[in-house]
Structures are given as C-alpha cells and as structure tokens.
Amino acid sequence: MSVKGCIFDLDGVIVDTAKYHYLAWKRLAAELGFEFTIKDNERLKGVSRMKSLEILLEVGGLNFDDKTKVKLAEKKNNWYVEYISKMDKSEILPGVENFIKSLKEKGIKTALGSASKNAMIILNNLKILDYFDAVIDGNKVKKAKPDPEVFLLAAKELNLEPKDCVVFEDAEAGIEAAKNAGMYAVGVGSLDILHKADRVIMGFDNAKLDIIKF
Ligand code: BG6
Ligand code: MG
C-alpha cells in the first residue's frame, strides 16, 4: 500500500515542548500548594489545555468554579508562551527535518495535527511552517484526542482518504485518535506507553522512509 500523506503531531514529535508544558504546570501546582511530578505529567500529553488542568487539579485534590479554572489555565498558558517564545530551530528534534524533506521529495503530502492552540508560534519560531501542506491545531477542532477529528480534518485538507495517511504521535491519546480515524499509527517514543500503535520508533534520527511502508 502506498502512503499519500503523513500527519505529524507537534509537541513531543517535532519538538520537545512537553518539558515547557511540564515546567508551567509544575509552577502552577506549586502556587496552589502541591507537587506535580514528571510521572503525573505523562497523563497530560496530547490532552487539551482545560482537560490538562482538570487532571492537574485532580492530582492536587482541588476543585474550583469554571471562572477560576479559566484564569488558572490562562496563567499557565502565559508562562508556557513565555518559554516557547525563546525557542529556535536548534530545538527541532534530531532527524525530523530531513525526514519531512524526504517525504516532500517523494511527493507525499504533509500536515500538522496538534491539540495545541500555540502551534503557530512554535512553527514560526522554528521556521518550519512551509513544510506543511495543511496545519490543523487546537484552534480548528472542537473534540480533543482520542477523538479522531484533528486527523480527519487534516486528511480532508490534504484531499486524501484517511486510509492513505500515516500519523506520527508521542501520546497514547494521539495513537488512539489515529486508529479511530482509520489511519496507520506510528508511535514516537517508548513501546510501554505506545503499544496501541501499528509500530513504534524511538525518534527520527536516521529514520528511513521504509518506516511508512505497511
Ligand atoms: C498537546 C500537548 O500537543 O497540546 C498537551 O501534548 C497540551 O500537553 C495540548 O495540553 C494543548 O496545548 P496548548 O498549547 O493549547 O495549551
Ligand atoms: Mg504530542
């Protein structure tokens, strides 16, 4: 079967922004008086901002009214944006750029499929916006991963059938979203977390195009 399109998650696949999300959430937790560990942070990967806040508050055993929750999420986001505003090309994960370039040379279309509402800031800072034929981010979708909406919309914008697309994801919720969309899912990271993927790679360093042959 020949692949016609590749859809990339952003945070954790193209760039390690998970560390900045973690720093900002940890800072919020500290202000609220509890500790938020790196293990707790795993549950936030691929999950929307407000859902992430719900998980964080659950960890801290706290609850607030909706207005306060919006304020807390805004506070975390301001810190996060401060961190990502300093990013540049040097933070692109090894091998990703070359991999995307070789896809383009083969005429394979590419899209971004991210839950983040900050995706454009990162793509612009990294100067990689031009690599994508379509960009679907958290501002364009209503339903969060594991709902397939983000990837189905990406396939639609690429004018491709879902079955002709491959998704690259580092989050369990993202792999589920790809499978729910009827796409081939490549997990980027550890097999323990990504065992629902069709295949798992450690990263794109030295990655060859045959990882999308299935
Ligand atoms: C995902 C991240 O890509 O985007 C999540 O994996 C994050 O951790 C989500 O919560 C939403 O991001 P943002 O930038 O809109 O707060
Ligand atoms: Mg991710």
Side-chain angles (χ1 to χ4, degrees):
M1 120 121 244
S2 86
V3 173
K4 297 186 180 146
C6 284
I7 307 171
F8 293 82
D9 172 48
L10 176 65
D11 295 322
V13 169
I14 294 178
V15 79
D16 182 20
T17 31
K19 66 182 179 210
Y20 298 124
H21 278 296
Y22 177 54
L23 277 179
W25 285 125
K26 198 176 152 68
R27 193 166 161 185
L28 186 69
E31 263 202 24
L32 294 171
F34 65 94
E35 203 197 332
F36 188 68
T37 67
I38 198 123
K39 191 163 172 270
D40 296 325
N41 190 59
E42 201 55 45
R43 292 174 64 196
L44 309 192
K45 288 188 180 171
V47 171
S48 74
R49 192 180 307 164
M50 289 314 288
K51 180 82 189 59
S52 296
L53 176 69
E54 297 288 350
I55 297 172
L56 182 108
L57 293 177
E58 186 194 303
V59 170
L62 296 172
N63 204 358
F64 294 101
D65 57 57
D66 287 354
K67 224 172 129 191
T68 312
K69 282 185 196 163
V70 169
K71 285 226 165 75
L72 291 172
E74 242 173 54
K75 195 169 201 180
K76 178 266 170 179
N77 192 56
N78 289 339
W79 288 326
Y80 177 68
V81 169
E82 204 181 296
Y83 301 142
I84 61 169
S85 299
K86 295 180 193 125
M87 291 175 82
D88 62 26
K89 245 183 163 1
S90 66
E91 293 200 45
I92 302 176
L93 289 170
V96 179
E97 227 177 332
N98 279 341
F99 186 76
I100 298 179
K101 276 183 195 159
S102 38
L103 291 174
K104 311 287 299 175
E105 277 163 21
K106 290 270 176 214
I108 296 170
K109 291 183 185 171
T110 53
L112 191 91
S114 168
S116 174
K117 292 186 172 163
N118 295 303
M120 287 305 269
I121 303 180
I122 299 171
L123 295 180
N124 281 321
N125 281 356
L126 266 46
K127 302 199 174 16
I128 53 170
L129 182 59
D130 289 351
Y131 287 153
F132 300 100
D133 301 302
V135 173
I136 312 298
D137 66 9
N139 300 298
K140 288 195 182 170
V141 291
K142 288 195 185 66
K143 293 179 225 146
K145 299 169 187 176
D147 189 281
E149 185 186 14
V150 61
F151 296 136
L152 290 175
L153 202 56
K156 196 172 166 209
E157 284 208 12
L158 294 178
N159 269 317
L160 296 176
E161 299 273 340
K163 67 171 176 48
D164 295 327
C165 298
V166 172
V167 169
F168 292 92
E169 257 292 348
D170 70 313
E172 197 184 353
I175 295 293
E176 282 174 26
K179 294 316 297 170
N180 289 337
M183 298 176 182
Y184 187 83
V186 179
V188 184
S190 111
L191 188 58
D192 295 353
I193 297 164
L194 305 169
H195 55 89
K196 288 184 189 151
D198 294 296
R199 75 182 290 173
V200 176
I201 56 170
M202 301 274 286
F204 289 94
D205 215 5
N206 299 317
K208 301 266 180 320
L209 279 189
D210 58 9
I211 59 177
I212 58 166
K213 281 208 184 103
F214 57 93

